[in-house]
Amino acid sequence: MNIHAGRGVAVREYPLEWREGADTRSGSADYLLYADGWAIGVVEAKPAGHTLEGVIVQSKRYTEGLDEHVPARYRPLPFAYESTGEVTQFTNGLDPHPRSREIFTFHRPEELLRQQDLGSLQLRRMLRKMPGLPQGRLWPVQHEAIANLERSLAHARPRALIQMATGSGKTFTAVTACYRLIRHAGAKRVLFLVDRNNLGRQTLNEFQQYRDAGSAYSFAEEFVVQHLRGNAIDPASKVVITTIQRLYSILKGDTQYNPANEDDSLFESGRAPGGEPAPVEYSPDLPAETFDFIVIDECHRSIYNVWRQVIEYFDAFLIGLTATPSPQTIGFFRNNVVQDYSHVKAVADGVNVGYDIYRIKTKITEEGGGVEAGRYVPRRDRRTRKTTHAELEEDLTYTANQLDRDVVAPDQIRLVARTLRERLFRDVFPGRTEVPKMLVFAKHDSHADDIVKILKEEFGKGNDFCRKITSKTTGASPEDLLNRFRNSYNPRIAVTVDMIATGTDVKPLECLVFMRNVNSAGYFEQMKGRGVRVIEPGDLRKVTPDAKDKTYVDAPKWASADSEPSRWQSGQVLSYVRPLDAALYWPRARMVFVRSDPNRTCGLSGPPSCTGFSDPVLLTVCPYPFLASCCQISRQRTLLSLLLSPPAQAAARTR
């Protein structure tokens, strides 16, 4: 037997002896593992389907039964595996409280030697010795989140979820936690998974700017932070930022990956190539022990349906970040929510601003429409957008769900745009003359093109006024356009599909326009979060000169705050408006609905009833948002909602 035949050698059916009380027992380990000629661990093999928890005692006995003449640095042997070939679990006997955990496959000999050489500096030991967390620049919610996370890690809980409202500094919190894990716990490497490539650049910037109070260097100067643009991981890297798409490409053995594929959010749809769960096999170029921690940004998505195998490939702690966890997300993180900081709390703390909702409805969006046979109508190719004219041979009837997908009604888009223009400075931003920074969510790229064209016409502005920012934008990169939208006067309006729907930080944004269905309450909360971030008034005026601050729309002049029921206090949830589940805050909230039926009235007694107009759309004002059901709001999903931002209740915070 040549135990030096390779860096790692497994010897089958190795005889061992151990003591049980006064008796001596003997048996054979299915495999004795050697690394660099030193005995280092055992493997107990069982047939497929055999449960493994009951085998742990047997493996432990084998680690204690090594003959004294066999070279080994630790006795008992430090590492034990139990495996059926389909399921494998591992116990590190050098941990403070050795506990088996399921892993994708066996560690490389190099990794076992590294862990053995750590001795008392084992990761799980160091996590129990983390120094106290100074308050420093951390907000209270951030300090609490990191402290709770470190407490969870000290108990070796493999997964933890941080729920923090949009704008409350999740990324800064995660960067601070990563620094402490590397600096104080000796983490080998941290993987930071982002939703899209532009969020990766945003995260890289956060790492580059971070500076610990006890260090003279920035994070990126002290440790190597790598934002993957190729498919090779720098061996010296301490933090690797990438998308799960590129990570899967590396696992498959691809040498290159098209960056354009990272511009769209696969997290949102949960899509994988072919629509099936991503098959994962062992990759020698990216072994399972590559990372000690994986931070999963925007982890509320349906990624677990098809991408779960990619995440669980690694033998690492999982840390999730989200503002809107679903029950499935909480379940994935084993109900270990270490921080729960909702939008309501964030508004009360002045970390977020609240919002108001305006609704514009048209007859077509409510009921659909039709075109009589015999008319010549334009037909547009979905791919090329080339238009031809043809006579309808049969009557065409279409539903609201077919609008802008099978049937395009430009006048409907125009009516919404015109209503928006007419009401913007009269009802939504009274006293203002500059169009506020506005983000419009379209159904798809072609729909976005139609919206951009019509908005420019209705507002009487040029090309710089309104721009489309999607993965199909050419001439300027989406990132460049986004930076202009964030930091420059123009564009005033950006139209997107999903690219800016989540994670992206545009603090001067004051108005969100939904011209699409939102099928997920969680996704709506994420989209809404683009507009609720606080900003210093001076910074806001740099891009919107006539804005005083991100303010809240006052109640109509004939409905004072005193007329509201006294039980509703500032910061409380007043109502949930279905199906968007849009929470309305503060007693002076109001809702404005633009719709097509002049016969539907509020029916409230006491305050003025809803007033109508004779133009093609009817403006309805209800001073009591928590009695919204009295207004017979349609349960069909809203075509267009404007979310406005009330002032922060505490000093403005700008992270």
Side-chain angles (χ1 to χ4, degrees):
M1 181 178 66
N2 182 9
I3 60 175
H4 298 281
R7 190 77 191 270
V9 173
V11 179
R12 189 175 181 181
E13 296 295 336
Y14 197 95
L16 299 168
E17 290 185 351
W18 63 92
R19 295 190 64 82
E20 288 186 8
D23 299 327
T24 299
R25 304 285 185 179
S26 63
S28 296
D30 289 324
Y31 295 93
L32 179 66
L33 302 180
Y34 284 87
D36 282 354
W38 298 88
I40 201 167
V42 298
V43 178
E44 181 61 24
K46 295 297 179 183
H50 196 289
T51 56
L52 295 178
E53 281 299 310
V55 185
I56 295 174
V57 175
Q58 185 178 359
S59 300
K60 185 175 185 299
R61 287 171 180 166
Y62 291 160
T63 63
E64 299 169 348
L66 191 66
D67 187 275
E68 61 181 8
H69 300 294
V70 176
R73 292 180 178 173
Y74 282 91
R75 298 178 189 275
L77 296 177
F79 307 120
Y81 294 89
E82 300 86 34
S83 180
T84 65
E86 296 178 353
V87 178
T88 300
Q89 62 185 30
F90 167 73
T91 300
N92 182 349
L94 301 177
D95 286 340
H97 298 287
R99 181 195 307 164
S100 65
R101 62 181 184 268
E102 191 171 316
I103 58 176
F104 183 83
T105 190
F106 298 92
H107 301 95
R108 295 178 306 162
E110 295 86 347
E111 174 63 14
L112 294 181
L113 287 168
R114 186 191 73 86
Q115 292 196 33
Q116 178 180 252
D117 292 342
L118 287 174
S120 62
L121 300 179
Q122 296 294 318
L123 176 63
R124 285 163 177 76
R125 286 187 180 275
M126 299 304 294
L127 289 172
R128 300 171 67 90
K129 301 177 181 179
M130 296 286 284
L133 176 64
Q135 185 69 49
R137 295 184 297 143
L138 294 170
W139 295 346
V141 60
Q142 296 169 337
H143 185 276
E144 182 182 11
I146 297 171
N148 290 346
L149 172 63
E150 292 182 357
R151 192 175 300 114
S152 172
L153 294 174
H155 288 87
R157 292 176 180 144
R159 302 182 185 186
L161 178 62
I162 296 175
Q163 176 190 357
M164 292 173 60
T166 298
S168 58
K170 288 191 299 296
T171 305
F172 183 81
T173 300
V175 171
T176 303
C178 289
Y179 180 87
R180 288 175 56 81
L181 291 173
I182 295 171
R183 165 59 61 197
H184 302 300
K188 177 175 56 178
R189 189 179 289 111
V190 177
L191 172 65
F192 202 112
L193 282 178
V194 295
D195 189 7
R196 299 181 302 279
N197 215 8
N198 69 312
L199 298 184
R201 290 186 287 268
Q202 200 168 289
T203 301
L204 175 63
N205 183 61
E206 195 81 44
F207 274 100
Q208 291 171 334
Q209 293 183 353
Y210 180 86
R211 189 183 299 271
D212 183 75
S215 174
Y217 303 97
S218 70
F219 196 127
E221 291 170 338
E222 194 168 353
F223 304 112
V224 177
V225 179
Q226 181 184 19
H227 181 202
L228 284 184
R229 293 176 175 84
N231 275 19
I233 293 178
D234 185 349
S237 64
K238 284 294 186 180
V239 176
V240 176
I241 305 168
T242 189
T243 62
I244 201 165
Q245 301 97 291
R246 181 175 294 278
L247 186 66
Y248 178 55
S249 172
I250 297 173
L251 282 175
K252 291 194 300 179
D254 298 341
T255 57
Q256 295 181 342
Y257 188 71
N258 185 357
N261 295 335
E262 299 177 280
D263 290 335
D264 291 329
S265 170
L266 294 193
F267 276 8
E268 178 54 41
S269 63
R271 297 190 309 272
E276 297 294 331
V280 175
E281 297 180 357
Y282 179 75
S283 170
D285 296 328
L286 193 65
E289 62 268 16
T290 301
F291 307 104
D292 282 337
F293 297 91
I294 300 178
V295 179
I296 310 168
D297 196 16
E298 307 294 349
C299 69
H300 56 276
R301 306 286 168 59
S302 56
I303 59 174
Y304 314 117
N305 294 336
V306 294
W307 296 111
R308 182 170 185 154
Q309 296 91 325
V310 178
I311 295 173
E312 293 182 335
Y313 170 84
F314 298 98
D315 181 21
F317 288 95
L318 303 183
I319 303 170
L321 306 176
T322 183
T324 55
S326 67
Q328 292 78 16
T329 305
I330 294 173
F332 178 82
F333 287 94
R334 301 178 183 176
N335 291 293
N336 186 26
V337 181
V338 297
Q339 179 61 291
D340 180 4
Y341 189 67
S342 67
H343 175 70
V344 177
K345 296 177 183 176
V347 171
D349 290 345
V351 173
N352 278 181
V353 294
Y355 60 95
D356 196 4
I357 297 178
Y358 279 63
R359 297 192 176 207
I360 298 177
K361 298 183 181 181
T362 66
K363 186 174 182 178
I364 289 179
T365 60
E366 293 291 289
E367 303 174 6
V371 183
E372 297 177 355
R375 292 180 178 271
Y376 281 83
V377 296
R379 295 177 181 266
R380 188 167 69 190
D381 187 276
R382 290 178 184 270
R383 294 168 296 177
T384 65
R385 289 179 63 87
K386 179 180 179 180
T387 301
T388 58
H389 288 76
E391 181 181 2
L392 279 180
E393 298 180 356
E394 299 178 352
D395 290 347
L396 173 64
T397 301
Y398 57 91
T399 66
N401 288 335
Q402 291 177 285
L403 191 64
D404 299 309
R405 300 189 186 278
D406 300 324
V407 177
V408 177
D411 281 350
Q412 177 267 339
I413 300 175
R414 191 175 304 280
L415 178 58
V416 171
R418 185 169 299 167
T419 303
L420 173 61
R421 172 177 57 81
E422 292 173 351
R423 308 296 188 197
L424 190 63
F425 299 119
R426 189 179 77 184
D427 301 315
V428 183
F429 293 93
R432 300 266 293 269
T433 58
E434 302 277 0
V435 174
K437 286 287 184 175
M438 185 182 303
L439 179 61
V440 182
F441 295 109
K443 297 176 182 177
H444 45 75
D445 196 78
S446 182
H447 187 219
D449 269 10
D450 294 334
I451 293 172
V452 169
K453 178 180 178 181
I454 291 173
L455 282 174
K456 289 187 293 187
E457 291 176 357
E458 287 300 317
F459 279 87
K461 302 292 183 178
N463 290 333
D464 291 339
F465 173 77
C466 182
R467 299 296 297 267
K468 182 180 76 171
I469 305 180
T470 71
S471 59
K472 296 185 179 180
T473 302
T474 59
S477 70
E479 184 67 20
D480 289 340
L481 288 174
L482 183 57
N483 283 332
R484 293 180 205 170
F485 182 52
R486 181 187 292 124
N487 302 315
S488 303
Y489 179 79
N490 278 321
R492 303 307 302 165
I493 302 176
V495 182
T496 190
V497 181
D498 288 316
M499 178 166 284
I500 316 177
T502 62
T504 306
D505 185 2
V506 184
K507 292 177 181 177
L509 193 58
E510 295 184 80
C511 192
L512 302 180
V513 182
F514 290 77
M515 296 190 71
R516 55 176 288 183
N517 290 348
V518 182
N519 297 320
S520 164
Y523 193 31
F524 169 74
E525 287 295 315
Q526 285 286 323
M527 298 164 85
K528 176 206 70 182
R530 300 315 100 214
V532 301
R533 295 173 184 266
V534 295
I535 183 173
E536 291 282 2
D539 293 334
L540 177 60
R541 286 192 290 272
K542 289 178 182 178
V543 295
T544 307
D546 70 342
K548 295 181 180 179
D549 49 28
K550 286 184 90 167
T551 59
Y552 187 50
V553 176
D554 285 331
K557 60 182 181 182
W558 39 262
S560 68
D562 294 336
S563 65
E564 302 289 350
S566 59
R567 68 178 184 275
W568 299 107
Q569 303 297 324
S570 296
Q572 284 186 306
V573 177
L574 299 186
S575 174
Y576 281 92
V577 181
R578 301 293 183 181
L580 291 179
D581 290 332
L584 303 182
Y585 304 99
W586 295 24
R588 298 182 66 186
R590 68 172 177 174
M591 298 184 296
V592 177
F593 310 97
V594 182
R595 58 192 182 208
S596 57
D597 186 353
N599 298 317
R600 293 167 67 179
T601 57
C602 180
L604 287 174
S605 60
S609 60
C610 301
T611 56
F613 298 84
S614 59
D615 54 3
V617 291
L618 171 67
L619 180 67
T620 305
V621 180
C622 175
Y624 291 108
F626 50 90
L627 294 177
S629 60
C630 296
C631 293
Q632 304 178 41
I633 300 171
S634 169
R635 285 189 175 272
Q636 294 186 12
R637 289 184 174 85
T638 305
L639 172 72
L640 183 149
S641 299
L642 305 182
L643 283 76
L644 309 177
S645 314
Q649 296 181 23
R653 298 171 179 173
T654 58
R655 183 170 299 121

